[in-house]
Amino acid sequence: EIVMTQSPATLSVSPGERATLSCRASQSVSNNLAWYQQKPGQAPRLLIYGASTRATAIPARFSGSGSGTEFTLSISSLQSEDFAVYYCQQYKNWPPEYTFGQGTKLEIK
Amino acid sequence: EVQLVESGGGLVQPGGSLRLSCAASGFTFSTYWMKWVRQAPGKGLEWVASIKQDGTEKYYVDSVKGRFTISRDNARNSLYLQMNSLRAEDTAVYYCAREWYSCGDYWGQGTLVTVSS
């Protein structure tokens, strides 16, 4: 099983500033990496797939990068609606054994 | 507008069974892989199962193999999860999601399953 590790567990950032979230895979997943945003009481929302491709209707302030085992989600100029929990998910293997990171909580500083 | 609406959750005793349903609308259901993902209270996300467009391929996380069965009815635009031999650790909100490049691009609001005596 590919283990996904996110850091930090909690990130405190002021509105208008930039946030950088990290995700590490226990083995290479190439670019088979997605990022999701989840707000309390809501379902996850797909932000990024293919490590760097924004999903439909996702604002340009969200960007993803990385490949292999190291990945980053960057959010430039944080808006109030961006404070949430973020998960990474790998989908490298076939047959599928999709695994998620434990999440990073992005909170207002 | 794509919509996924789960139902069927509730309180069940350990060892019991439950069948979850997911009603899909707003897209051509029969052309997409579908999946179930769960989230234990206060915890992260865990993929549970996926099913191919025609139902001929099904995949599960190890912890539910032999106990859960994913299925679909394309004529009814519906996805199902039959859960047997339920355990306390199966307690979670269960989401159905449409697969896009093996990711979930649309999700339902979730249905809560509580396994407790």
Side-chain angles (χ1 to χ4, degrees), chain B residues 50-65:
Chain B
S50 290
I51 186 168
K52 192 178 178 180
Q53 292 93 329
D54 60 4
T56 57
E57 294 183 41
K58 305 175 184 181
Y59 301 100
Y60 303 90
V61 68
D62 284 348
S63 60
V64 309
K65 284 179 182 175

Side-chain angles (χ1 to χ4, degrees), chain B residues 8-61:
Chain B
L11 175 64
V12 60
Q13 292 188 338
S17 298
L18 215 52
R19 188 196 196 204
L20 306 183
S21 299
C22 172
S25 61
F27 66 102
T28 306
F29 179 74
S30 62
T31 64
Y32 286 87
W33 282 76
M34 297 293 295
K35 69 169 81 179
W36 288 97
V37 175
R38 66 185 178 183
Q39 186 169 36
K43 302 298 185 182
L45 301 167
E46 180 182 40
W47 168 73
V48 174
S50 290
I51 186 168
K52 192 178 178 180
Q53 292 93 329
D54 60 4
T56 57
E57 294 183 41
K58 305 175 184 181
Y59 301 100
Y60 303 90
V61 68

